[in-house]
Amino acid sequence: MPQSFDEIRLLMDTAEGKAPATLKIVNGNIVDVVTGSVYQEDIIIANKYIVAIGNGNNYPAIKEVNARGQYIVPGLIDPHFNIETGLLLPHQLYKRLLLHGTTTIFLDVSSVVTVLGYNGVKLMKALSENIPLRTYFYAPIELPRFKAREESDATFDKAALERLLEYDKALHVTHQEVSDILAREPRIIEKLRLSHTLKKKVFGSPLEIPFEELFAYSLSGIDIITCPDENVAIKMLKAGFHLILENMWNENKVGKILRSIKYHIKDFRNFSLAMGMKRIIDIFKEEGLDATVRAAIGSGLDPVVALQMATINSAKFFGIDNLVGSINVGKYADILIVDSVRTFNVRDVIFNGQVVVERGILTLENRKSDEKTIPLWATNTINIKRSISDDELILQVDKRYTKGLITTMSLSGSSIYNRKENVEVKIKDGKIAPTSKQDVIFIAVVDRYSDAREIGKGFISGIGLKHGAFASTLLYPQYDIVVVGDRIRDMKKALNEV
């Protein structure tokens, strides 16, 4: 809420019709996610705030938006988004998110911290300043094990975490090493206790949790996790978790989970909807949090309940429901106008009381505040100075062999897993030489932090690559360089490009 006397007086005057509103939304059907009702009234906005709800004829306004036949809903809140999957920084990402109705987001910047340290959090915060998107963050409570060996203990100890959390009141934490928690590692438990003392939420990983150890995992201090499938949803709720439902890599997991559990649950307040892991191409293909809402509605869930899972549920969980999450007097005017609560196509978006999307078109192009400068220390992050030889990228065996069977990693859809295949490959001069005709190519993971001191190598199938190579640092959780190709020469070129 506003702090100064003059601003409060202006809002009160506007609420009584004594001062003109900056924006008035009329003739729409308001979806009240607090009561679960839908009613027709007008919304009066002064600067950033909703100041009145009623008959718009009683309120003069500088600008009026006619929502006749449309539905007025709160701006969507995304409770968890891994920033690296979209390949866009906050000041670039917001434009796509607004078009899909997201006005508040919790960005997981663990990947940034892994590469840049805790200074990466401050960089992401700087890149989020003055953008039309309410931005909160998750940071890891410590680095992955492999990286911690390269850092001094003091860099990521409890005191460093405390300084970071006190520095940023809008910061929450995440911890992905399930084994550390289940082993009762004192260092981790102390950091989790600290996070709760400072009233921070802790996001955990459900992917490695043995079913019978969910309760112990919850008692360690993990608050919120992604629900992986319908088989564990009920037990996760019993364990006290707040559950995120998201579509991973465009798989409609949300619909599948909700269709399975909706008859067993009467109250969905401990569920939130998220956009999920999205590639940049997905974000530009008109897929955002609004698509997750449509998936929930498509499962047969009441549209108002689905909308609550994308708004007020997350706001209450994170303790920001006094600011956002519903259409009530005193809240920030983050509002969407959609065609219907069932089809949920976003027409207009209001953020902080300003129309930022009008009839599906962004109205905020060429903003000077979007011209952000990335410091050099954040761009030169690959510490490989030496030349990598061919032999370091290829597995070698006894020169007496001319052929053999190999074990490959296999790509199936969006998943990679190990399996043994009866793939017979040629061996020449002790070097294994699969061919793309066999759908088996080389893969290597190169340590980016300590001059390629460690290089893992093997084979992968299912990529579909016939010729050439490609490399990327988008490799969870350590973000080293992964390179695949059918020829070592091409793989080295790709490595050099990265």
Side-chain angles (χ1 to χ4, degrees):
M1 283 297 293
Q3 300 298 316
S4 72
F5 171 78
D6 287 341
E7 188 175 12
I8 292 173
R9 182 174 62 181
L10 174 62
L11 298 185
M12 294 175 67
D13 287 347
T14 307
E16 294 180 342
K18 298 176 181 178
T22 52
L23 180 65
K24 177 167 63 174
I25 306 172
V26 300
N27 301 323
N29 302 293
I30 299 173
V31 180
D32 190 333
V33 294
V34 175
T35 65
S37 61
V38 180
Y39 59 92
Q40 188 175 78
E41 279 192 306
D42 305 327
I43 300 174
I44 313 305
I45 297 168
N47 298 328
K48 299 185 290 186
Y49 300 98
I50 300 171
V51 297
I53 299 173
N55 186 341
N57 292 328
N58 299 325
Y59 299 93
I62 297 171
K63 182 174 181 176
E64 179 177 300
V65 173
N66 192 337
R68 186 178 301 280
Q70 309 285 298
Y71 287 79
I72 306 172
V73 304
L76 304 183
I77 301 172
D78 196 319
H80 184 262
F81 180 69
N82 291 96
I83 192 167
E84 75 276 8
T85 63
L87 300 180
L88 294 171
L89 293 169
H91 65 293
Q92 303 161 330
L93 181 64
Y94 83 83
K95 295 179 181 180
R96 305 310 306 175
L97 297 182
L98 287 176
L99 289 170
H100 298 296
T102 298
T103 54
T104 299
I105 195 166
F106 289 78
L107 293 175
D108 191 331
V109 295
S110 297
S111 58
V112 178
V113 175
T114 297
V115 177
L116 299 179
Y118 280 150
N119 281 334
V121 177
K122 298 178 181 180
L123 174 61
M124 291 298 103
K125 184 175 176 62
L127 294 176
S128 301
E129 291 178 353
N130 301 317
I131 65 173
L133 181 69
R134 226 168 290 287
T135 310
Y136 299 84
F137 297 97
Y138 296 95
I141 62 174
E142 65 175 28
L143 291 178
R145 289 193 195 95
F146 83 99
K147 184 82 184 296
R149 295 196 303 266
E150 309 300 331
E151 302 286 342
S152 66
D153 291 339
T155 306
F156 295 95
D157 62 9
K158 180 181 174 183
L161 177 65
E162 185 170 10
R163 287 193 298 271
L164 178 69
L165 294 179
E166 289 180 339
Y167 156 78
D168 191 348
K169 303 302 181 185
L171 181 67
H172 298 277
V173 296
T174 179
H175 185 62
Q176 299 295 312
E177 297 284 356
V178 175
S179 58
D180 286 347
I181 293 176
L182 296 181
R184 283 69 164 169
E185 174 63 48
R187 181 186 78 260
I188 302 300
I189 300 300
E190 281 300 309
K191 288 184 176 182
L192 293 173
R193 287 183 59 215
L194 169 67
S195 300
H196 279 277
T197 299
L198 297 177
K199 301 188 184 314
K200 306 297 183 179
K201 299 298 184 182
V202 184
F203 180 84
S205 170
L207 300 180
E208 306 172 34
I209 306 172
F211 189 76
E212 65 277 6
E213 294 179 331
L214 271 175
F215 297 150
Y217 189 60
S218 172
L219 288 168
S220 71
I222 301 297
D223 301 299
I224 178 171
I225 57 178
T226 301
C227 181
D229 58 58
E230 63 277 13
N231 298 317
V232 296
I234 302 298
K235 188 164 186 178
M236 284 181 166
L237 290 175
K238 290 179 180 177
F241 295 116
H242 189 91
L243 300 186
I244 293 177
L245 301 182
E246 62 182 21
N247 287 330
M248 300 281 287
W249 307 117
N250 301 325
E251 297 174 4
N252 188 15
K253 295 180 66 174
V254 170
K256 183 180 179 182
I257 292 172
L258 287 174
R259 276 190 293 271
S260 176
I261 68 174
K262 66 182 179 181
Y263 299 111
H264 305 286
I265 297 175
K266 293 183 178 180
D267 192 329
F268 285 84
R269 74 182 70 186
N270 285 328
F271 286 89
S272 290
L273 297 179
M275 178 168 59
M277 289 188 177
K278 297 291 183 184
R279 302 165 299 176
I280 187 170
I281 189 172
D282 301 326
I283 296 173
F284 277 85
K285 278 169 48 181
E286 306 302 318
E287 296 176 7
L289 183 49
D290 55 340
T292 311
V293 173
R294 288 192 291 269
I297 295 169
S299 74
L301 200 66
D302 184 317
V304 175
V305 174
L307 186 58
Q308 288 170 332
M309 293 164 66
T311 55
I312 191 65
N313 289 7
S314 291
K316 283 184 174 295
F317 176 76
F318 286 104
I320 57 173
D321 54 309
N322 62 318
L323 305 175
V324 294
S326 62
I327 296 176
N328 294 110
V329 170
K331 303 285 183 74
Y332 285 124
D334 295 354
I335 297 169
L336 314 182
I337 299 176
V338 301
D339 61 343
S340 162
V341 290
R342 293 197 175 276
T343 55
F344 207 80
N345 295 305
V346 178
R347 189 194 81 172
D348 296 350
V349 179
I350 292 94
F351 176 81
N352 259 357
Q354 294 187 340
V355 178
V356 293
V357 175
E358 190 168 9
R359 299 191 180 277
I361 299 175
L362 198 67
T363 63
L364 293 172
E365 297 294 343
N366 302 319
R367 299 173 69 247
K368 286 188 176 181
S369 57
D370 291 344
E371 298 173 4
K372 309 285 187 179
T373 300
I374 310 299
L376 287 177
W377 61 265
T379 60
N380 187 20
T381 61
I382 295 180
N383 183 31
I384 299 178
K385 310 299 182 187
R386 69 180 181 85
S387 246
I388 297 173
S389 68
D390 291 2
D391 288 347
E392 291 180 280
L393 297 177
I394 190 169
L395 283 170
Q396 300 186 54
V397 297
D398 194 305
K399 291 184 178 181
R400 292 176 297 173
Y401 297 111
T402 59
K403 61 182 179 180
L405 297 177
I406 61 172
T407 300
T408 73
M409 288 186 293
S410 181
L411 180 68
S412 177
S414 61
S415 301
I416 295 179
Y417 54 92
N418 289 319
R419 73 179 183 195
K420 288 187 177 181
E421 295 184 324
N422 294 322
V423 179
E424 188 174 280
V425 294
K426 294 180 180 180
I427 299 173
K428 186 176 181 180
D429 296 328
K431 297 177 181 178
I432 300 174
T435 67
S436 57
K437 291 180 181 179
Q438 298 171 290
D439 194 26
V440 178
I441 58 177
F442 299 106
I443 182 170
V445 176
V446 181
D447 173 15
R448 71 185 284 179
Y449 301 100
S450 55
D451 207 17
R453 186 175 64 189
E454 297 181 12
I455 299 177
K457 48 210 169 187
F459 307 97
I460 190 167
S461 63
I463 294 286
L465 181 68
K466 299 300 182 184
H467 301 289
F470 63 84
S472 172
T473 58
L474 190 57
L475 182 66
Y476 173 85
Q478 65 269 38
Y479 302 98
D480 279 320
I481 305 174
V482 58
V483 56
V484 300
D486 68 327
R487 294 190 301 179
I488 299 300
R489 181 179 63 187
D490 292 336
M491 292 172 67
K492 290 177 67 175
K493 288 183 179 179
L495 274 171
N496 287 335
E497 285 296 319
V498 172

